[in-house]
Amino acid sequence: MTTHAPQAAQSVTLPASLDEAVAALAAMPAAVPVAGGTDLMAAVNRGLLRPAGLVGLGRINEIRGWQYQDGHALLGAGLTHARMGRPDFAALIPALAAAARAAGPPQIRNAGTLGGNIASAAPTGDALPVLAALEATLVIAGPGGARREIPVSHLLAGRDMLAPAELIGYVRVPLLHAPQVFLKATGRTGPGRATASVAVVLDPARRGVRCAVGAIAPMPLRPLEAERWIASLIDWDGERAALAPEALGAFGEYVAAACIPDPATPEDGSQPPPLSPAVLHLRRTVAALARRALGRALS
C-alpha cells in the first residue's frame, strides 16, 4: 500500500459483500474502511493516520454499479470517478458526470470513489455540490443487515453522522430528466482542486432551480432565496432560454452575495471593514460560475 508509512496496518480484511464489510468493522472498531484510498493513503503517508487495520471495499461488486429504482438512480458507493465520467452515466446524471471528469488526473479518477468523496467530506470534493443540488440521499448499511437513509446534506453538515460499523452503501439520486450543469474554478490549468464550484439543476416538474456552491465553505452552500427568485422569472411553459442576460447576471451576484456576505455591522454602529481583495475575487468567481452555469442549463 505504501513504502514509507510511519506504521503499517496490522491487518487487512477483504470482504465480498456490504454486510461482511460492516461485520468486519464491528469486529474491529479501530479498523478503517478503504476503497480507492486517494485520501486515506495520502494521510497515512504523511503520518496523520495510523490505522490498526483496514477493511478493503474493492471486492464488493454490489456497490460498484447502479440501478433504477422508483424514478431514482441508486448509485453504488464504490463507483469510481472514471466510471461516472463515461457517456452512458453522463446521459443519466450529467452534472455528476461532469464533476467526476473534473475530479483530478486519470490516476485519481480511476481509483477515487463516490462514497469516498462523500465520507472524506473535503470542502473541495467535486461531487458534493452536485449531490447537494440534486438533494440526494444516502443509504447507510449497519450491523445485522440494517439500512437507513439520510440526506447527503445532513451528513456533510454533521447533523447525522455515521455510527460505529456503519458504511455508506448507496447514493439515491432523483432522475429529473432536465438540464444540469457543474462548473469549477481552479488555481491552475488542467484538473485540480477547486477554488470554487457551482452546480445548477433545473427541476421543471416543480418549476424550481437548485444551486449549490462548493469549495468556499466546509460544506456546499444552497442560496435558497436566489433559487426561488430566479425560478419565478423563468417561463417554464414556454421558452426557458428567453431569460434576459441581466437576470442571469443578477442571479450570479445574488448567489455570490448569499454565499460570501458582506461583514456584519459592528455593535457600535461603525463602518464594517471591507472585504479583502482575495475574498472579493472569490465572490466574483462564484458570481461568474453561477451565471454561466444557469445560462448553460437554460440554453
Side-chain angles (χ1 to χ4, degrees):
M1 294 179 295
T2 177
T3 57
H4 56 281
Q7 175 179 324
Q10 298 299 312
S11 66
V12 177
T13 304
L14 300 173
S17 71
L18 194 57
D19 287 332
E20 287 181 15
V22 169
L25 289 171
M28 185 185 297
V32 177
V34 56
T38 54
D39 290 324
L40 185 141
M41 295 315 300
V44 169
N45 288 337
R46 291 198 302 268
L48 302 177
L49 182 66
R50 299 185 180 186
L54 295 176
V55 177
L57 309 179
R59 294 184 178 179
I60 305 178
N61 290 328
E62 63 189 283
I63 62 172
R64 296 172 65 87
W66 71 82
Q67 56 185 294
Y68 302 99
Q69 189 178 82
D70 299 327
H72 291 70
L74 193 64
L75 313 178
L79 274 170
T80 64
H81 299 303
R83 184 65 191 88
M84 291 188 291
R86 294 181 185 175
D88 58 340
F89 191 92
L92 189 70
I93 312 173
L96 192 54
R101 290 193 292 265
Q107 60 269 31
I108 295 296
R109 298 198 303 272
N110 288 332
T113 63
L114 177 62
N117 207 220
I118 299 167
S120 297
T124 55
D126 292 317
L128 304 186
V130 178
L131 296 175
L134 289 169
E135 298 182 348
T137 59
L138 304 176
V139 179
I140 308 299
R147 299 290 187 270
R148 67 186 180 97
E149 290 197 30
I150 61 172
V152 65
S153 57
H154 285 197
L155 179 67
L156 298 178
R159 294 174 57 186
D160 197 337
M161 304 298 290
L162 295 180
E166 284 190 330
L167 281 172
I168 299 172
Y170 303 92
V171 182
R172 191 187 304 278
V173 178
L175 296 176
L176 301 178
H177 304 293
Q180 47 187 256
V181 177
F182 169 81
L183 297 175
K184 68 186 272 190
T186 63
R188 58 186 176 87
T189 59
R193 292 188 179 275
T195 56
S197 60
V198 171
V200 169
V201 174
L202 301 187
D203 189 352
R206 298 182 181 179
R207 296 174 177 256
V209 175
R210 302 182 201 162
C211 176
V213 179
I216 66 170
M219 61 170 289
L221 304 177
R222 287 278 303 275
L224 299 178
E225 291 186 3
E227 292 178 359
R228 289 190 287 267
W229 174 75
I230 198 64
S232 69
L233 300 182
I234 296 174
D235 181 6
W236 295 100
D237 296 319
E239 183 56 49
R240 292 198 297 255
L243 194 67
E246 294 80 8
L248 294 177
F251 173 73
E253 297 294 337
Y254 202 163
V255 169
C259 296
I260 308 175
D262 292 323
T265 302
E267 294 182 0
D268 59 7
S270 61
Q271 193 72 14
L275 294 175
S276 68
V279 174
L280 284 173
H281 176 72
L282 184 60
R283 182 191 270 188
R284 288 193 294 268
T285 300
V286 171
L289 291 174
R291 182 186 72 247
R292 294 170 187 169
L294 179 61
R296 292 186 186 183
L298 291 173
S299 63

